[in-house]
Amino acid sequence: MPLPRLTRRAVLARAGLAGAGLAGAATLLGACGRGAADSAASGDQPRRGGDLAVAFQTGGSQETLDPHAASLFVDGARGKALFDKLVDLAGDMTPVLRLAETLEPDDEARVWRATLREATFHDGSPVTADDVLYSFARILEPDSGRRAAAQLAPLDLDASRAVDARTVELVLDRPVAEFATALAAFGAWIVPAGSEDFTAPVGSGPFRFGSFTPGGSLVVERFDDYWEGAPHLDTVEFVPVNEETARINALVGGQVGYAHDLSVTSARTYADESRVEILAAPGSLMHAFAMKLDRPPFDDPHVRAAFRLLADRTELVDTALAGMGEVGNDLFGKGLRFYADHLPQRERDLDQARDLLDRAGADGLSVTLHTAEAGGGLVDAAALFAEQAAQAGVDVRVEVGDADTFWADSFADGAISSYRSGVMPIATHIGNRLLSDASQNITRWQDEQFDDRYAEMQRTVDDDARGEMLGEMQQQLHESCGLLVWGFADWLVGTADGVHGVQGAPPNTLEWARFDRVWRD
């Protein structure tokens, strides 16, 4: 089957969603359904029963099912099976209510009141406002490093309260116009009050815990009392398959029914293969090289600027992504709301790069670029960029590390590394990865005035004014930050023949890895 060649911008424009978003003081109403559209589209009806093995890259023997410690894609997929959030994100990054039946801010977007659905945990106990407050307090524990903490930081837990069992009032220490999207943060799962042991976790998600071995498989079983209706499948087994070639081989060979995070090479190879179907979410994955600003040589802004001019982005997309993507402009979120598309596209300029390196006293510069087979295109892009840099006299030595530990290693070590990110709202990306105290700040970008500007943007309810501030912040990042964003890839997953209901959705959104809507022949 030929793969679609649609840009993310085109998809959003076609759906009329590119400019959509949360109006500052609007009441959100729930949006849910049971995949009837999928069924009708396939000409088939969902069938109850059956098992599904799904292949993901995992984190090895140190893994945990603590949903608040989630950091990898597989953590997000497991969390979605076992737990729920108050809010999740649609493919265009607008909020979709989940456990929250309604969510309404006051006029200043400082007090947010949520009414919970009538939902139960897997042990039969109801999901209550106290569970919500406990979960957020646990995420915000000092020095925990939990990923959702950055977005939930404005919560004033002392002032927040349970109005009744199903109503929670969330009070912020400052107005936050887009707090609904903060509630959809990666890892913002709701757990029963008092939960600390997650060896056999209890959640309110569509599947209940079956068995788990760290570094091995997780088996989850259908939860018949799920608030949105029971899943079709009896069980889902999350199988660790860290090498992409092994994942596609397991899919083609019938060992698994779903393979996550496939390469463009596999997509091209198996485009016409009847045993599998490749599903694409266009432009959903940012590809970059991350330069750390707190160490040589990238503590010098001239060197960072020179490296941005060394890259031939078109060649990187055409080669490392086999043309299945589009070029980047050193900014996250191309095609999303508030993206600074007014900034000129940065082009390769070797003469200017040499001049900048000369001004930095970095003639004959040699650096090590760390990468790994931890995702499609990473190693190929690193090798190609090294060739491009050599044309300006820069020696970039590519070091291929352990795929199992690469993401953790690259945060701590080295001066420049391969980097990628799934889609999320632009404000979320800045809050999680570009503020001075952000736990995911790989480039070590630190600017007190930038942090203050972000806080001011959060307080601004007017959409136009908030967009203007985000535009100014992106311009600063475009000029000075350590992210060399060279492309946006289509996000690719595969399903086996006879597996239905999987959508080609951006990672970490509501419809991504949503196995409660999947059925088998």
Side-chain angles (χ1 to χ4, degrees):
M1 182 192 73
L3 289 165
R5 283 300 308 124
L6 298 175
T7 65
R8 173 172 178 73
R9 183 188 301 277
V11 170
L12 296 182
R14 183 176 302 175
L17 297 172
L22 171 65
T27 298
L28 295 177
L29 300 177
C32 53
R34 274 247 36 96
D38 297 337
S39 173
S42 68
D44 199 357
Q45 292 297 317
R47 298 178 58 183
R48 186 180 175 95
D51 307 311
L52 180 70
V54 298
F56 279 80
Q57 182 180 9
T58 61
S61 60
Q62 301 303 311
E63 287 184 313
T64 172
L65 294 181
D66 181 344
H68 299 154
S71 62
L72 303 176
F73 285 122
V74 69
D75 298 325
R78 289 167 174 167
K80 180 175 289 184
L82 291 166
F83 302 95
D84 256 321
K85 301 175 185 175
L86 294 188
V87 177
D88 213 327
L89 294 174
D92 66 332
M93 302 295 103
T94 53
V96 179
L97 298 187
R98 300 299 293 158
L99 276 178
E101 193 167 51
T102 65
L103 178 65
E104 186 172 7
D106 67 2
D107 290 342
E108 296 181 347
R110 185 164 186 159
V111 178
W112 292 70
R113 178 171 289 208
T115 303
L116 305 179
R117 300 182 189 278
E118 292 191 33
T120 60
F121 290 112
H122 302 149
D123 62 2
S125 61
V127 178
T128 69
D130 287 336
D131 300 314
V132 173
L133 291 171
Y134 171 80
S135 299
F136 291 162
R138 187 170 185 273
I139 291 169
L140 290 169
E141 286 175 350
D143 303 322
S144 66
R146 287 166 180 145
R147 185 163 159 178
Q151 290 169 264
L152 296 178
L155 264 176
D156 182 343
L157 290 170
D158 292 334
S160 300
R161 65 190 181 105
V163 177
D164 57 41
R166 290 182 48 212
T167 307
V168 60
E169 190 172 84
L170 302 171
V171 181
L172 312 185
D173 62 11
R174 57 186 181 275
V176 179
E178 297 191 3
F179 189 66
T181 59
L183 295 173
F186 190 84
W189 307 103
I190 306 304
V191 302
S195 296
E196 286 295 342
D197 182 356
F198 292 94
T199 53
V202 172
S204 63
F207 295 93
R208 64 169 75 236
F209 175 80
S211 63
F212 176 61
T213 302
S217 292
L218 165 69
V219 177
V220 296
E221 303 167 350
R222 181 176 55 237
F223 178 41
D224 287 322
D225 295 327
Y226 186 51
W227 61 268
E228 203 177 15
H232 307 303
L233 296 166
D234 291 332
T235 69
V236 176
E237 180 179 9
F238 291 80
V239 181
V241 186
N242 286 348
E243 297 293 335
E244 189 274 342
T245 52
R247 286 197 295 277
I248 188 65
N249 288 337
L251 182 68
V252 175
Q255 287 81 35
V256 300
Y258 171 97
H260 187 249
D261 192 6
L262 298 179
S263 70
V264 292
T265 301
S266 294
R268 295 290 189 200
T269 302
Y270 295 101
D272 298 320
E273 170 60 61
S274 62
R275 290 173 293 177
V276 301
E277 181 178 13
I278 306 296
L279 302 167
S284 298
L285 185 66
M286 179 194 77
H287 276 275
F289 300 116
M291 301 177 280
K292 292 188 175 69
L293 277 63
D294 64 345
R295 63 199 68 178
F298 300 110
D299 54 348
D300 188 320
H302 295 97
V303 176
R304 298 198 299 275
F307 266 60
R308 287 192 288 267
L309 294 169
L310 294 176
D312 183 337
R313 291 164 172 77
T314 299
E315 186 181 31
L316 284 162
V317 170
D318 288 346
T319 303
L321 304 182
M324 297 180 66
E326 53 187 316
V327 298
N329 193 25
D330 300 331
L331 291 173
F332 174 85
K334 189 172 187 178
L336 296 181
R337 190 185 189 210
F338 297 135
Y339 179 76
D341 53 10
H342 65 284
L343 296 176
Q345 173 64 49
R346 183 163 280 130
E347 304 289 349
R348 192 185 199 207
D349 189 331
L350 296 185
D351 289 338
Q352 189 177 355
R354 292 187 189 96
D355 180 64
L356 287 163
L357 292 171
D358 182 62
R359 291 162 61 185
D363 291 335
L365 179 65
S366 179
V367 298
T368 299
L369 170 56
H370 298 269
T371 189
E373 296 285 2
L378 297 185
V379 174
D380 291 341
L384 180 55
F385 180 68
E387 294 177 8
Q388 294 175 351
Q391 294 169 20
V394 178
D395 177 27
V396 174
R397 289 169 282 117
V398 176
E399 183 172 307
V400 181
D402 186 339
D404 292 347
T405 61
F406 173 70
W407 297 115
D409 294 344
S410 61
F411 264 83
D413 304 325
I416 182 171
S417 59
S418 298
Y419 184 68
R420 68 176 193 169
S421 174
V423 68
M424 66 184 76
I426 288 173
T428 300
H429 182 264
I430 292 174
N432 281 354
R433 300 175 179 185
L434 292 166
L435 298 184
S436 297
D437 60 353
S439 61
Q440 303 289 313
N441 187 350
I442 188 172
T443 65
R444 312 297 198 269
W445 166 265
Q446 294 184 320
D447 186 307
E448 187 174 338
Q449 291 184 337
F450 184 90
D451 297 346
D452 292 343
R453 190 64 165 162
Y454 182 82
E456 182 183 358
M457 181 278 299
Q458 282 191 306
R459 291 193 295 269
T460 303
V461 174
D462 182 81
D463 276 1
D464 291 339
R466 197 164 64 254
E468 184 176 345
M469 293 178 194
L470 281 168
E472 293 169 357
M473 297 170 73
Q474 289 175 84
Q475 182 165 2
Q476 185 178 355
L477 295 170
H478 186 258
E479 294 168 356
S480 305
C481 184
L483 282 182
L484 192 173
V485 180
W486 57 265
F488 290 84
D490 297 351
W491 186 259
L492 302 167
V493 302
T495 58
D497 184 36
V499 174
H500 307 283
V502 175
Q503 294 191 25
N508 301 329
T509 60
L510 175 60
E511 299 303 332
W512 164 79
R514 193 166 180 194
F515 300 117
D516 60 310
R517 290 190 167 186
V518 174
W519 71 94
R520 308 201 66 157
D521 287 340

